[in-house]
Amino acid sequence: MGSYKYFEEYDEQVTEELKGNFSKILKGIGEDVTREGIVKTPERAAKAMQFLTSGHCEDPAEILRSAMFAEDYHDMVVIKDIELYSLCEHHILPFFGKAHIAYIPNGHIVGLSKIPRIVDVFARRLQVQERLTHDILECINDTLKPEGVAVVIEASHMCMMMRGVQKQNSVTTTSGFRGQFEKIETRTEFLKLISSSLS
């Protein structure tokens, strides 16, 4: 009977350093780091932290440039309900939700999968939702140079839900608009599209 194998590549030196730090944290909160359920936790946490912050090692603008195509299309392109998961830089607790993004091409379109990819790149950093919204907006605006770009993010924050005010049903919404989306009629069309079901 074969054994299960799962392979992920991590920097061994960084993993060992983080592993030691997580072990100290566990001891500091009174855990027995030799018990069966905890013994591998420092290594797992070290690898998880590297994955969850791996966006620092990627260039989101280059991701967009790798799939830009000349196209004479000047109507709104909307990608909505893009799942996102990030870590709040204040407490290193998760926040998660959805991003809704639109742009109006100005000579170039981009492969649709690249928009969610750059959401992941920026989300896989220690973040605040406001900066995450701004980073995505400016990356698309600066790289594609569209006639307009819009970003709306709706997210729930575990730092509000698990600790602090403990408001489990709270949702934070942030938005940013450039170019044509600064016009009320274009912005209204976008907001209507992301709030409606077309199915």
Side-chain angles (χ1 to χ4, degrees), residues 53 56 60 84 86-91 95 118-119 121-140 151 153 155 157 172-176 178:
T53 58
H56 291 290
L84 69 86
S86 191
L87 290 176
C88 167
E89 66 182 32
H90 298 144
H91 302 98
F95 67 92
I118 68 163
V119 171
V121 169
F122 284 118
R124 288 176 187 158
R125 303 176 179 186
L126 295 182
Q127 276 287 12
V128 294
Q129 185 175 331
E130 296 88 342
R131 186 172 65 243
L132 176 60
T133 305
H134 176 268
D135 286 348
I136 295 168
L137 180 78
E138 295 302 333
C139 179
I140 296 171
V151 177
I153 292 178
H157 293 249
T172 300
T173 302
T174 49
S175 63
R178 294 289 182 273

Side-chain angles (χ1 to χ4, degrees), residues 63-79:
I63 290 171
L64 288 180
R65 284 193 291 266
S66 72
M68 285 176 60
F69 308 99
E71 191 69 41
D72 186 25
Y73 184 84
H74 297 277
D75 292 309
M76 192 184 303
V77 178
V78 181
I79 308 98

Side-chain angles (χ1 to χ4, degrees), residues 67-188:
M68 285 176 60
F69 308 99
E71 191 69 41
D72 186 25
Y73 184 84
H74 297 277
D75 292 309
M76 192 184 303
V77 178
V78 181
I79 308 98
K80 70 176 189 174
D81 296 333
I82 302 167
E83 293 180 2
L84 69 86
Y85 303 89
S86 191
L87 290 176
C88 167
E89 66 182 32
H90 298 144
H91 302 98
I92 316 183
L93 287 173
F95 67 92
F96 57 93
K98 293 180 178 179
H100 314 288
I101 299 172
Y103 74 99
I104 300 173
N106 185 22
H108 287 88
I109 59 171
V110 67
L112 294 178
S113 68
K114 303 307 177 186
I115 300 292
R117 279 282 310 280
I118 68 163
V119 171
D120 284 346
V121 169
F122 284 118
R124 288 176 187 158
R125 303 176 179 186
L126 295 182
Q127 276 287 12
V128 294
Q129 185 175 331
E130 296 88 342
R131 186 172 65 243
L132 176 60
T133 305
H134 176 268
D135 286 348
I136 295 168
L137 180 78
E138 295 302 333
C139 179
I140 296 171
N141 196 51
D142 293 344
T143 308
L144 288 184
K145 302 190 185 309
E147 293 181 16
V149 58
V151 177
V152 170
I153 292 178
E154 303 169 285
S156 298
H157 293 249
M158 299 307 285
C159 59
M160 289 180 63
M161 298 166 72
M162 291 180 67
R163 59 166 301 284
V165 295
Q166 298 181 50
K167 300 301 181 188
Q168 282 76 25
N169 296 312
S170 61
V171 175
T172 300
T173 302
T174 49
S175 63
F177 305 95
R178 294 289 182 273
Q180 293 294 323
F181 287 96
E182 294 177 90
K183 296 179 179 178
I184 188 65
E185 60 270 23
T186 310
R187 186 184 308 189
T188 299

